[in-house]
Amino acid sequence: MGKRENIDKTILESNKDDKTVLESPEEDKTRLIEDDKTMLVGESQEIELKGKPLYFAWLVGIDGPHKGIDIRIIKEKTMIGKASTNDIIIPDPYISSVHAAIYFEKDKFVVDDLKSSNGTYLNEKRIEREVLKDNDIIKFGKLNYKFKCIRKVAK
């Protein structure tokens, strides 16, 4: 938890049998979300998609301590704040201990402000709960992150 992960170590590709191969570092386990099922993937596995969507999401730090860093969203509920118990730890005075959460529900990613002192903003609008889409800008306190999402559907 709270560990920065190197997105460059993840390779996602499809082979001729319409399977998706995800390779990740040996010590890392990555959660893949496929419709209502969550699959835990180890070092390297093949997953048959069978017509169901597969989602990969991450935040890209625009400023602050995570500037230029990709942070993968690997859980159905990702907690964000400055407390060490969060999944994404942002050490900044404008961030609440438990500031916000990103959820994956009903084939969508959603961001929730958890009654933080300095608010959560989506594309410059203060929000309580909103659905995320690729390239949205999320602001936690005074720090900006770009939300990225890839959706893959097998043929």
Side-chain angles (χ1 to χ4, degrees):
M1 284 202 186
K3 179 178 104 175
R4 290 185 189 167
E5 299 167 337
N6 186 347
I7 196 77
D8 295 335
K9 291 183 180 178
T10 301
I11 302 165
L12 175 67
E13 58 188 39
S14 292
N15 64 23
K16 64 184 177 205
D17 298 323
D18 204 21
K19 292 182 180 178
T20 298
V21 179
L22 176 76
E23 295 180 16
S24 57
E26 192 171 328
E27 70 276 359
D28 182 33
K29 297 227 181 252
T30 303
R31 209 175 280 253
L32 299 180
I33 301 166
E34 181 182 342
D35 262 356
D36 292 330
K37 290 195 299 189
T38 300
M39 304 166 81
L40 197 60
V41 175
E43 185 178 352
S44 179
Q45 276 188 4
E46 289 188 351
I47 302 158
E48 289 190 44
L49 295 177
K50 295 182 182 174
K52 296 182 179 178
L54 184 62
Y55 296 89
F56 296 92
W58 65 100
L59 297 176
V60 180
I62 296 173
D63 48 29
H66 296 132
K67 183 177 181 176
I69 295 173
D70 294 341
I71 304 166
R72 286 185 285 170
I73 308 293
I74 60 173
K75 296 170 104 182
E76 289 179 34
K77 178 181 178 184
T78 301
M79 301 299 293
I80 301 163
K82 67 179 168 187
S84 63
T85 55
N86 289 294
D87 301 301
I88 299 174
I89 301 166
I90 305 174
D92 186 85
Y94 294 97
I95 302 296
S96 295
S97 293
V98 180
H99 194 97
I102 294 177
Y103 300 93
F104 182 78
E105 54 188 37
K106 299 178 184 170
D107 284 342
K108 295 178 184 148
F109 286 92
V110 177
V111 63
D112 253 344
D113 181 74
L114 301 176
K115 298 182 180 168
S116 65
S117 300
N118 294 302
T120 300
Y121 296 77
L122 184 62
N123 301 319
E124 300 184 21
K125 178 184 169 199
R126 190 166 182 158
I127 56 104
E128 288 183 22
R129 180 179 179 89
E130 290 291 332
V131 173
L132 294 168
K133 58 187 184 312
D134 191 43
N135 291 318
D136 276 345
I137 302 296
I138 307 170
K139 184 176 184 181
F140 304 111
K142 292 188 173 188
L143 301 176
N144 295 288
Y145 292 81
K146 182 179 278 195
F147 175 77
K148 297 297 296 170
C149 181
I150 296 172
R151 179 176 185 251
K152 178 180 172 145
V153 180
K155 297 174 186 176

